[in-house]
Amino acid sequence: MMAFFSGAQRFLWQSSSVVASHFTSTRFTSTLTSPKLFISGLSRLTTDEKLTEAFSPFGQLLEAKVIMDRASGRSKGYGFVTYATVEDAEKARAGMNAKFIDGWVIFVDPAKPREPRPPQQPQSQPSGAGFTVNKTIGWCG
């Protein structure tokens, strides 16, 4: 009985290492198609200047931007960096992925194109009785 569990454990270990090695080889052999990178996991204290300082050693950095919340003025925890060439972006991706900035582990991925948003609907519409309809609350007077 013990031999069965030992064999099963060995099989599971080997198959999981094959899957892990396949995943890592796919993740690190992919090439970028754009010089723009998406940086996630940023601290709320990280600024554009700190992002520029961290990513500038990898090549000619065109822009480093931390995305801020309009209402609170605080960082949303992610940002973008843009390099002059795809090769510089690839070096930065390899060199900065899973590194620390301001005490937080960041993740560097290729930036995806922004999806188009549907046109915005008007917030309220007048009704025939002199009331307006608020879609989030209901009837208002």
Side-chain angles (χ1 to χ4, degrees), residues 2 5 35 38 44 46 59 63-65 82 90 106 117-118 132:
M2 189 64 161
F5 287 118
F38 173 73
R44 302 279 183 207
T46 303
E63 181 183 36
K65 184 77 178 150
T82 307
E90 190 67 60
I106 63 162
R117 289 183 172 178
T132 58

Side-chain angles (χ1 to χ4, degrees), residues 12-13 20 30 33 41 45 50 56 60 77 95 103-104 109-110 123 129 140:
L12 288 173
W13 174 257
S30 65
T33 57
L45 303 175
K50 289 182 182 179
S56 60
Q60 184 183 355
W104 288 53
D109 292 300
Q123 293 291 47
C140 303

